């Protein structure tokens, strides 16, 4: 459940851009700065991040302030929030922002004033504006994740732009289909299955003809997942996850969409099949643990979007000679050198093997029979 | 340093096929069985695996026996080993075979008798025949990893078919180029860099224009790596790997070719860049640890050839509407359901956020402003 977010809100008040990865977000560097603004602007109510997260968030981490907004300049609009999103990613992401920053997040908002013809009054938009009721924005000046007009949802509610028809829905759609490449008949496990992303991943997996196992934290959630078409569910709070997985996935697991990390993930990993694919979306299980200074390899794996793949070279059996001839060519051109550590005598095979395991060789360890 | 191996040796003696993944290998189920063979065959000397590995291999794990080979049948040849390979993969792989099995491994052999016109007397071949001096083989009946005639190496020694022009060379070539996709100017780290595979990976990385850092276990090895063109080397036995990496890779690490796992890998992972690629070839650091019954996630990751990728959905920013419209279409067709957990009131943002982190939501957690 990772974000596509970032808003650049262009106002005349004192704003710093805290830059982190591809995230740009305004941080109000001091509170009460709206006193400097003299126009009769609209007042936005903003939730600030005023104390570093350490463990589970509490009310002390947040403070609500008023911010008086400036008059619109050409190209700008004023948007009023209708629905705001709260998502797991906010916990780890905010840890990287200085105290005093606006809480990050997306919202569905209605344009209530506009000096930009592409964003007319009355239009509904999605914007990465943060936890605030009103926003002045020049979309052309947004450096990334520009606000966009909602497409026609028909009779469906606009709030879905925060869920199945927004970031979480796209997280499921792309993160599962692109990275897991599910095939008809395969077994798929989803952790955090009753969440905004997991519940969609499981349904998409069913649409692709997979057997789907959802792991969630209550019987009610599991019951709901069954109504969505999940074949099996596991309540990790009351069941032994590994044993339950063994029963639910007798043919092993081909795809794992991971929202949680931790011990649930360890159990799933034990039952993965050859060429299994794991899409690591989040690591909720440890979002609330430890101070922000502690390095978390699982969290880093997501943020850095790393890809790790184990292999046995026989998978390229069909291209075997291609590799040999390429290396041979480089050797002949003097571009590739080799070294051999040769042990003589067939009787010395174990000795050569044991020596190689201890790092006694340089380059390839071989045994010459005679 | 993973194998492409597997030989099916067709003899008339009592042989069982121990099947594991795509590995098929004969295991001599009892010793002394050659007594049953009455023809005047050639005698092969074979190293058997007679005691389960537990920790570092010792002489007690191995036993040398004689095996009298049968007369050739049509389609068969008799090959005499010239060079045999000892490789790290043999340690974990043999753990899966029953006691009494022939030690697995590849060899360069010369055809000394033949009833197969494609494998004439005098030809040199590579075969996955195991630790044995003589082999009777019908290549057409081999179920996988068939023996093959060596291509023309020019003046280079045939033993290279076990190294740079064989499995280790191909492991470097495919495992690095296919899974790491190195780009000009990127920083590449190789662990086990002075081994048969690692030393080739580093050189191929240089050929691709990368900055290359090799990690090895002695100053001599490091010195040798420098002569191969490695830009930086780290002796993990005498240096702090993390600190040394920080100095050698000031721009972070883009590709990591991992032969060892363990704490070296943990240090490398901390310095990986966005979209970093990790090719997990082996986990030598733990091959000698623990009895075979212990599950080793790193080892499993290689054997099962798993792929794990972290992501942030903004990487598909350019395809954003594609995802939204696909999900919208599924909803309209009644194929995709959604649920929202709605909290009312902007003042309740922190409460909704904290509740969601504790799993209090089903489906998407949102806040309705009014």
């Amino acid at each position: 459940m990772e974000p596509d977010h970032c808003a650049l809100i262009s106002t005349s008040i004192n704003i710093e851009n805290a830059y982190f990865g591809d995230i740009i977000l305004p941080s109000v560097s001091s509170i009460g700065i709206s006193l400097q603004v003299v126009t009769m602007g609209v007042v936005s109510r903003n939730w600030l991040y005023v104390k570093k997260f350490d463990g589970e968030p509490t009310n002390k981490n947040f403070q609500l302030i008023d911010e008086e907004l400036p008059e619109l300049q050409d190209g700008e609009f004023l948007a009023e929030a209708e629905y705001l999103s709260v998502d797991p990613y906010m916990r780890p992401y905010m840890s990287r922002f200085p105290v005093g920053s606006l809480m990050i997040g997306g919202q569905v908002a209605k344009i209530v004033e506009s000096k930009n013809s592409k964003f007319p009054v009355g239009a509904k938009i999605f914007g990465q504006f943060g936890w605030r009721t009103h926003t002045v924005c020049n979309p052309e000046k947004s450096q990334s994740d520009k606000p966009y007009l909602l497409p026609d949802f028909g009779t469906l509610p606009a709030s879905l732009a925060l869920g199945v028809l927004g970031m979480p829905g796209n997280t499921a759609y792309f993160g599962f289909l692109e990275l897991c490449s599910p095939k008809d008949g395969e077994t798929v496990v989803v952790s955090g299955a009753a969440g905004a992303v997991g519940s969609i991943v499981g349904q998409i997996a069913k649409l692709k003809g997979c057997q789907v196992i959802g792991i969630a934290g209550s019987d009610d959630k599991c019951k709901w997942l069954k109504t969505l078409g999940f074949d099996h569910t596991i309540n990790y709070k009351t069941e032994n996850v590994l044993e339950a997985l063994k029963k639910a996935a007798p043919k092993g697991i081909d795809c794992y969409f991971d929202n949680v990390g931790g011990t649930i993930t360890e159990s799933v990993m034990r039952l993965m099949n050859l060429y299994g694919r794991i899409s690591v979306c989040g690591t909720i299980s440890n979002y609330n643990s430890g101070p922000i200074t502690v390095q978390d390899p699982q969290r880093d794996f997501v943020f850095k979007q790393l890809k790790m793949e184990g292999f046995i070279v026989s998978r390229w059996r069909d291209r075997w000679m291609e590799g040999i001839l390429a290396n041979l060519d480089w050797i002949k051109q003097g571009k590739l050198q080799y070294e051999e550590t040769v042990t003589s005598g067939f009787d010395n095979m174990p000795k050569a093997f044991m020596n190689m395991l201890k790092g006694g060789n340089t380059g390839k360890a071989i045994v010459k029979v005679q």
Side-chain angles (χ1 to χ4, degrees), chain A:
Chain A
M1 211 166 309
E2 295 304 325
D4 176 293
H5 57 169
C6 158
L8 191 61
I9 301 156
S10 142
T11 73
S12 63
I13 60 168
N14 182 8
I15 274 182
E16 291 173 4
N17 286 313
Y19 189 85
F20 159 59
D22 59 351
I23 300 161
I24 301 163
L25 207 77
S27 78
V28 179
S29 63
S30 62
I31 299 173
I33 40 177
S34 57
L35 295 177
Q36 298 164 12
V37 179
V38 290
T39 54
M40 281 190 46
V42 173
V43 171
S44 175
R45 305 182 69 206
N46 300 350
W47 277 107
L48 302 186
Y49 172 66
V50 292
K51 182 174 173 291
K52 289 271 181 202
F53 289 137
D54 183 6
E56 289 189 15
T58 70
N59 284 324
K60 290 184 180 165
N61 296 114
F62 310 96
Q63 185 177 341
L64 189 56
I65 61 148
D66 285 348
E67 179 197 344
E68 195 169 341
L69 301 180
E71 276 191 273
L72 294 194
Q73 306 294 312
D74 279 347
E76 293 181 340
F77 61 73
L78 172 67
E80 186 177 281
E82 288 197 343
Y83 296 97
L84 293 104
S85 189
V86 287
D87 297 284
Y89 76 80
M90 295 169 177
R91 168 65 178 81
Y93 269 60
M94 282 314 299
S95 297
R96 315 254 183 143
F97 286 94
V99 160
S101 301
L102 183 68
M103 282 294 297
I104 58 176
Q107 57 176 249
V108 169
K110 194 164 77 174
I111 309 282
V112 291
E113 267 187 67
S114 181
K115 291 192 173 181
N116 184 317
S117 59
K118 289 178 189 161
F119 290 82
V121 170
K124 292 205 175 177
I125 61 170
F126 173 86
Q128 274 294 350
F129 297 150
W131 293 19
R132 53 189 301 150
T133 57
H134 293 80
T135 306
V136 170
C137 177
N138 183 330
E140 277 77 42
K141 286 188 180 164
S142 293
Q143 289 183 22
S144 69
D145 298 308
K146 294 177 189 292
Y148 57 83
L149 297 171
L150 298 193
D152 180 10
F153 287 177
T155 56
L156 297 167
S159 61
L160 296 189
L162 301 179
V164 64
L165 299 178
M167 184 271 284
N170 273 0
T171 301
Y173 181 84
F174 292 112
F176 177 60
L177 293 177
E178 294 291 320
L179 302 190
C180 284
S181 307
K183 291 177 198 69
D184 190 54
E186 288 192 325
T187 298
V188 173
V189 172
V190 186
S191 63
V197 174
S199 59
I200 301 168
V201 169
Q203 293 182 79
I204 294 178
K206 287 308 299 175
L207 285 166
K208 296 293 172 186
C210 300
Q211 280 287 307
V212 182
I213 302 163
I215 305 176
S218 78
D219 288 345
D220 280 349
K221 288 181 178 178
C222 287
K223 224 175 272 177
W224 176 59
L225 294 177
K226 286 287 190 121
T227 71
L228 298 182
F230 282 64
D231 298 289
H232 301 275
T233 58
I234 298 170
N235 179 344
Y236 72 87
K237 288 187 179 163
T238 60
E239 298 181 64
N240 177 316
V241 172
L242 181 61
E243 295 308 316
L245 281 171
K246 281 181 186 167
K247 274 185 209 159
K251 292 187 294 181
I253 298 161
D254 302 294
C255 303
Y256 176 41
F257 191 92
D258 187 10
N259 282 303
V260 303
T263 56
I264 289 174
T265 293
E266 283 168 25
S267 294
V268 175
M269 294 293 280
R270 290 180 65 170
L271 302 178
M272 294 298 295
N273 287 334
L274 188 68
Y275 294 124
R277 288 86 66 201
I278 300 141
S279 179
V280 189
C281 177
T283 59
I284 299 176
S285 69
N286 55 29
Y287 280 178
N288 279 340
S289 65
I292 58 151
T293 49
V294 174
Q295 176 112 9
D296 175 344
Q298 285 186 305
R299 203 166 52 194
D300 271 15
F301 196 83
V302 174
F303 285 162
K304 292 177 174 176
Q305 307 199 52
L306 301 183
K307 185 172 76 170
M308 183 159 89
E309 189 158 359
F311 74 97
I312 295 179
V313 68
S314 55
R315 71 200 281 178
W316 293 289
R317 187 181 285 134
D318 295 346
R319 295 171 60 190
W320 201 248
M321 280 300 153
E322 173 194 331
I324 289 179
L325 296 176
N327 285 333
L328 179 59
D329 198 43
W330 276 327
I331 291 176
K332 286 182 174 170
Q333 292 176 44
K335 290 177 177 171
L336 184 58
Q337 299 175 59
Y338 57 88
E339 188 106 353
E340 293 178 326
T341 296
V342 183
T343 303
S344 282
F346 186 72
D347 289 4
N348 290 321
M349 287 289 296
K351 188 175 150 193
F353 178 59
M354 293 184 280
N355 183 52
M356 177 275 304
L357 281 179
K358 286 174 192 154
N361 59 306
T362 301
K364 181 69 186 89
I366 58 172
V367 173
K368 192 170 187 299
V369 174
Q370 284 170 336

Short mmCIF file of all heavy atoms in Angstrom, two decimals, chain A residues 91-111:
data_model
loop_
_atom_site.label_atom_id
_atom_site.label_comp_id
_atom_site.label_asym_id
_atom_site.label_seq_id
_atom_site.Cartn_x
_atom_site.Cartn_y
_atom_site.Cartn_z
N ARG A 91 2.59 6.31 7.87
CA ARG A 91 3.38 6.10 9.08
C ARG A 91 4.88 6.12 8.78
O ARG A 91 5.62 6.93 9.35
CB ARG A 91 2.93 4.80 9.77
CG ARG A 91 3.84 4.29 10.88
CD ARG A 91 3.90 5.23 12.07
NE ARG A 91 4.73 4.70 13.15
CZ ARG A 91 6.05 4.78 13.19
NH1 ARG A 91 6.71 5.33 12.21
NH2 ARG A 91 6.72 4.31 14.22
N PRO A 92 5.39 5.25 7.89
CA PRO A 92 6.83 5.30 7.63
C PRO A 92 7.27 6.55 6.88
O PRO A 92 8.37 7.07 7.13
CB PRO A 92 7.09 4.03 6.82
CG PRO A 92 5.77 3.68 6.22
CD PRO A 92 4.73 4.13 7.20
N TYR A 93 6.44 7.05 5.97
CA TYR A 93 6.86 8.21 5.18
C TYR A 93 7.04 9.45 6.04
O TYR A 93 7.99 10.21 5.87
CB TYR A 93 5.86 8.48 4.06
CG TYR A 93 6.21 7.76 2.79
CD1 TYR A 93 6.28 6.38 2.77
CD2 TYR A 93 6.51 8.44 1.62
CE1 TYR A 93 6.61 5.69 1.62
CE2 TYR A 93 6.83 7.76 0.46
CZ TYR A 93 6.88 6.39 0.47
OH TYR A 93 7.22 5.72 -0.68
N MET A 94 6.08 9.69 6.95
CA MET A 94 6.17 10.91 7.74
C MET A 94 7.43 10.93 8.59
O MET A 94 7.94 12.00 8.93
CB MET A 94 4.93 11.08 8.64
CG MET A 94 3.69 11.58 7.92
SD MET A 94 3.92 12.99 6.80
CE MET A 94 4.51 14.26 7.94
N SER A 95 7.93 9.74 8.92
CA SER A 95 9.13 9.68 9.75
C SER A 95 10.30 10.40 9.11
O SER A 95 11.24 10.80 9.78
CB SER A 95 9.51 8.22 9.99
OG SER A 95 8.50 7.57 10.72
N ARG A 96 10.24 10.56 7.81
CA ARG A 96 11.36 11.21 7.12
C ARG A 96 11.19 12.73 7.03
O ARG A 96 12.08 13.41 6.56
CB ARG A 96 11.47 10.65 5.70
CG ARG A 96 11.34 9.13 5.64
CD ARG A 96 12.69 8.49 5.38
NE ARG A 96 12.58 7.05 5.27
CZ ARG A 96 13.29 6.31 4.44
NH1 ARG A 96 14.17 6.89 3.65
NH2 ARG A 96 13.18 5.01 4.40
N PHE A 97 10.01 13.21 7.42
CA PHE A 97 9.77 14.65 7.33
C PHE A 97 10.08 15.33 8.66
O PHE A 97 9.94 14.73 9.73
CB PHE A 97 8.30 14.91 6.99
CG PHE A 97 7.97 14.59 5.56
CD1 PHE A 97 7.47 13.35 5.21
CD2 PHE A 97 8.18 15.54 4.56
CE1 PHE A 97 7.18 13.05 3.89
CE2 PHE A 97 7.89 15.24 3.24
CZ PHE A 97 7.39 14.00 2.91
N PRO A 98 10.48 16.59 8.59
CA PRO A 98 10.74 17.30 9.84
C PRO A 98 9.45 17.57 10.60
O PRO A 98 8.37 17.67 10.02
CB PRO A 98 11.38 18.61 9.37
CG PRO A 98 10.97 18.77 7.95
CD PRO A 98 10.77 17.39 7.40
N VAL A 99 9.59 17.67 11.89
CA VAL A 99 8.48 18.08 12.73
C VAL A 99 7.99 19.45 12.25
O VAL A 99 8.80 20.31 11.89
CB VAL A 99 8.94 18.12 14.21
CG1 VAL A 99 8.02 18.97 15.05
CG2 VAL A 99 9.03 16.70 14.75
N GLY A 100 6.69 19.63 12.22
CA GLY A 100 6.14 20.88 11.72
C GLY A 100 5.58 20.75 10.32
O GLY A 100 4.92 21.66 9.81
N SER A 101 5.84 19.59 9.67
CA SER A 101 5.33 19.38 8.31
C SER A 101 3.83 19.10 8.35
O SER A 101 3.30 18.58 9.33
CB SER A 101 6.02 18.18 7.66
OG SER A 101 7.41 18.37 7.59
N LEU A 102 3.21 19.42 7.23
CA LEU A 102 1.82 19.02 7.03
C LEU A 102 1.78 17.51 6.87
O LEU A 102 2.65 16.93 6.23
CB LEU A 102 1.31 19.69 5.74
CG LEU A 102 -0.14 19.48 5.36
CD1 LEU A 102 -1.08 20.18 6.33
CD2 LEU A 102 -0.38 19.98 3.93
N MET A 103 0.78 16.85 7.46
CA MET A 103 0.60 15.42 7.23
C MET A 103 0.33 15.19 5.74
O MET A 103 -0.46 15.91 5.13
CB MET A 103 -0.56 14.87 8.05
CG MET A 103 -0.26 14.62 9.52
SD MET A 103 0.97 13.30 9.82
CE MET A 103 0.12 11.87 9.14
N ILE A 104 0.99 14.18 5.17
CA ILE A 104 0.83 13.90 3.74
C ILE A 104 -0.44 13.07 3.48
O ILE A 104 -0.94 12.40 4.38
CB ILE A 104 2.05 13.14 3.18
CG1 ILE A 104 2.25 11.82 3.94
CG2 ILE A 104 3.28 14.00 3.25
CD1 ILE A 104 3.39 10.96 3.38
N GLY A 105 -0.92 13.13 2.26
CA GLY A 105 -2.05 12.29 1.90
C GLY A 105 -2.84 12.84 0.73
O GLY A 105 -2.75 14.03 0.39
N GLY A 106 -3.64 11.97 0.14
CA GLY A 106 -4.47 12.36 -1.00
C GLY A 106 -5.88 12.70 -0.55
O GLY A 106 -6.31 12.31 0.52
N GLN A 107 -6.56 13.48 -1.39
CA GLN A 107 -7.95 13.82 -1.08
C GLN A 107 -8.76 14.00 -2.36
O GLN A 107 -8.22 14.29 -3.42
CB GLN A 107 -8.03 15.10 -0.23
CG GLN A 107 -7.37 16.31 -0.85
CD GLN A 107 -7.57 17.59 0.00
OE1 GLN A 107 -8.29 18.50 -0.42
NE2 GLN A 107 -6.95 17.64 1.17
N VAL A 108 -10.07 13.78 -2.21
CA VAL A 108 -10.99 14.15 -3.26
C VAL A 108 -11.53 15.52 -2.88
O VAL A 108 -12.01 15.71 -1.75
CB VAL A 108 -12.15 13.15 -3.37
CG1 VAL A 108 -13.25 13.69 -4.28
CG2 VAL A 108 -11.64 11.81 -3.90
N ALA A 109 -11.40 16.46 -3.79
CA ALA A 109 -11.80 17.83 -3.47
C ALA A 109 -12.64 18.41 -4.60
O ALA A 109 -12.62 17.91 -5.73
CB ALA A 109 -10.56 18.70 -3.24
N LYS A 110 -13.37 19.43 -4.25
CA LYS A 110 -14.20 20.11 -5.25
C LYS A 110 -13.61 21.48 -5.48
O LYS A 110 -13.21 22.17 -4.54
CB LYS A 110 -15.63 20.23 -4.72
CG LYS A 110 -16.64 20.58 -5.79
CD LYS A 110 -18.07 20.30 -5.32
CE LYS A 110 -18.54 21.40 -4.37
NZ LYS A 110 -19.95 21.24 -4.01
N ILE A 111 -13.54 21.88 -6.75
CA ILE A 111 -13.03 23.21 -7.07
C ILE A 111 -14.10 24.23 -6.67
O ILE A 111 -15.23 24.16 -7.16
CB ILE A 111 -12.74 23.36 -8.58
CG1 ILE A 111 -11.86 22.21 -9.09
CG2 ILE A 111 -12.12 24.72 -8.87
CD1 ILE A 111 -10.42 22.29 -8.77
#
